[in-house]
Amino acid sequence: MPPPLPVALQAKWYETSRFLHELPCLIPSGFFRWTVEMNEGGENGVDGGERKMLEAVSSCLDLGSDLERTAEKARNTFSEAEKSLKEVESLIGNIEKELTIDFGTDGEFAYMFNQCYEMTTNEYIYKLCPFNKVAQKPKHGGSETSLGIWGSWAGPEHSRFSAMKYEHGTGCWQGPSRSTLVKLSCGKETAVLSTSEPSRCEYLMEFSTPAFCQEESYGEGTDHDEL
């Protein structure tokens, strides 16, 4: 019969067995009986104790892997659901925004909503997204600079839909926030024709669209009726 384990080692085995008992895994049957027998110098001995200890740890690791896979699957499902929720919220936000915008006398400018039009110069690429924003970025790479976000129609009283105002863009160095006035003209194509900066941080963009041809016809009809 092997001699009893030293008191210090017995205490260590006791703490280990208590720790394993608290783990959410399958402890081999007879583990605690083995612990007592080993402490008393039973037939299992230290070698048998080590073997059962390894079996217990192995069971924990197997179950831990299953739990980890389940947790990862749950995280992926949650991420997909969260992404879908954000997409729905974004769609609702766009619809709510669209309902607040004046798209012209007969809604003729509505086709430009959620569209963007670009014009490239020697230095920059200018982008106009009607009812959303105006921006520029360096032609050969670099970050985008906001030249303003949608504000309102800015044409004179007799031709309100002839100009758009975009405000609160990226601030200029020791200057005001950038803003852009977009002047509309009648054209067969929807396109940005030119961009300039008449005053520091204040941009002017010429933009053609078939929708404005309809607005001009309304104006001519109104003048004719008045005559």
Side-chain angles (χ1 to χ4, degrees), residues 5-25:
L5 293 173
V7 175
L9 187 54
Q10 290 184 35
K12 186 65 175 179
W13 282 118
Y14 173 75
E15 291 297 327
T16 302
S17 64
R18 188 176 66 175
F19 168 74
L20 289 173
H21 180 70
E22 295 173 352
L23 286 176
C25 61

Side-chain angles (χ1 to χ4, degrees), residues 114-134:
N114 282 337
Q115 301 296 319
C116 292
Y117 306 92
E118 294 185 348
M119 186 196 75
T120 302
T121 65
N122 292 332
E123 296 183 67
Y124 296 101
I125 298 174
Y126 291 91
K127 178 189 293 185
L128 167 64
C129 303
F131 311 107
N132 187 2
K133 67 178 183 178
V134 180

Side-chain angles (χ1 to χ4, degrees), residues 213-226:
C213 303
Q214 184 173 335
E215 283 298 321
E216 287 187 330
S217 67
Y218 287 146
E220 292 173 358
T222 301
D223 294 341
H224 181 74
D225 292 340
E226 290 176 350

Side-chain angles (χ1 to χ4, degrees), residues 13-14 32 42 85 102 115 119 140 147 159 162 165 173 176 189 191 204-205 209 213:
W13 282 118
Y14 173 75
F32 296 103
L85 176 61
D102 185 351
Q115 301 296 319
M119 186 196 75
H140 302 292
L147 302 185
S159 183
S162 63
K165 185 66 174 178
W173 173 251
E189 297 182 356
L204 175 63
M205 182 174 284
T209 168
C213 303

Side-chain angles (χ1 to χ4, degrees), residues 63 73 77 86 110 114-115 120 128 131 145 154 157 160 209:
L63 184 58
K73 183 178 180 181
T77 301
K86 289 181 179 179
N114 282 337
Q115 301 296 319
T120 302
L128 167 64
F131 311 107
T145 299
E157 185 176 352
R160 189 165 69 91
T209 168

Side-chain angles (χ1 to χ4, degrees), residues 53-111:
M53 177 71 76
L54 290 174
E55 291 176 357
V57 173
S58 178
S59 297
C60 290
L61 291 177
D62 290 342
L63 184 58
S65 297
D66 292 340
L67 292 174
E68 186 175 352
R69 284 191 291 269
T70 301
E72 182 64 24
K73 183 178 180 181
R75 283 192 293 267
N76 292 337
T77 301
F78 176 78
S79 296
E80 292 175 1
E82 189 176 36
K83 180 180 178 181
S84 298
L85 176 61
K86 289 181 179 179
E87 290 175 351
V88 171
E89 290 177 341
S90 177
L91 179 60
I92 292 175
N94 284 336
I95 292 174
E96 291 177 342
K97 179 180 179 180
E98 189 172 358
L99 292 174
T100 64
I101 296 175
D102 185 351
F103 289 118
T105 306
D106 290 329
E108 58 272 17
F109 297 103
Y111 78 95

